Amino acid sequence: MQKILPSPYLRIIASLFLVLMLQSCSTHSHKSKNLKYNTAITRIYLSLSSEKLKREFEIADVENILINHFNGATLQESIGFFNRKKERSLTITIVNCCRWEEPIEVFREKINNLVKQLRNDLGQESILVEVNRTTDIQVFEVLE
């Protein structure tokens, strides 16, 4: 069986299609040379129950707090374990990049303010905060 190679026209069309497809991908140019220092992905892990307040919370309770601090985030409900007890948990993911990117100091302050309000309003004993930056990974816990 003989191999049939594509015609030069087909190769040109395929190349142009590939170039157009790559150009259609969303990119954002930054004027800052310190892009790698501002970009961060932050995950906040918290329980949807409070022993302190003796109640359960809904995701909407967290959403109402979150919208006061950030314009966008992802919420994922899951099951967590604490002191060998199963509990409803929530993971909040907030990304600092692209056209909404802020200086890392401003972003970090907004995260800290969000965590303080979540801890106070939801009666949390502890909230775990994970910060992934292009330069390093940090994980810390915010306690009362």
Side-chain angles (χ1 to χ4, degrees):
M1 185 174 226
Q2 186 179 16
K3 255 186 176 176
I4 301 174
L5 296 176
S7 71
Y9 292 118
L10 188 55
R11 288 183 195 162
I12 292 170
I13 291 171
S15 298
L16 287 173
F17 179 73
L18 182 61
V19 168
L20 290 173
M21 190 171 70
L22 290 173
Q23 285 182 341
S24 71
C25 294
S26 177
T27 58
H28 182 71
S29 62
H30 291 274
K31 294 179 183 173
S32 170
K33 292 181 182 178
N34 296 326
L35 166 64
K36 64 181 182 179
Y37 300 110
N38 291 333
T39 302
I41 299 171
T42 300
R43 288 183 188 86
I44 301 169
Y45 303 90
L46 67 137
S47 172
L48 288 173
S49 61
S50 170
E51 287 185 26
K52 183 179 180 179
L53 301 177
K54 307 258 188 269
R55 68 170 283 210
E56 296 280 323
F57 293 95
E58 296 302 321
I59 294 176
D61 298 319
V62 176
E63 288 173 5
N64 290 333
I65 296 168
L66 183 62
I67 61 174
N68 293 322
H69 299 274
F70 290 96
N71 290 329
T74 301
L75 305 176
Q76 296 174 309
E77 188 174 6
S78 58
I79 300 296
F81 291 90
F82 184 69
N83 289 335
R84 298 184 179 185
K85 293 181 186 175
K86 186 165 76 168
E87 62 185 9
R88 287 177 54 227
S89 298
L90 189 66
T91 303
I92 303 169
T93 304
I94 304 167
V95 180
N96 185 36
C97 79
C98 308
R99 66 180 176 272
W100 59 85
E101 183 176 333
E102 300 174 318
I104 198 64
E105 298 81 19
V106 173
F107 182 72
R108 184 64 177 259
E109 184 178 342
K110 288 174 74 173
I111 291 290
N112 288 339
N113 291 336
L114 170 63
V115 170
K116 284 178 190 174
Q117 186 176 359
L118 287 168
R119 196 181 74 233
N120 293 333
D121 292 3
L122 303 180
Q124 297 292 300
E125 179 181 320
S126 167
I127 293 178
L128 182 67
V129 179
E130 172 188 2
V131 179
N132 294 310
R133 294 175 50 196
T134 54
T135 56
D136 64 342
I137 296 175
Q138 303 172 9
V139 178
F140 59 93
E141 185 177 18
V142 179
L143 300 168
E144 284 187 281

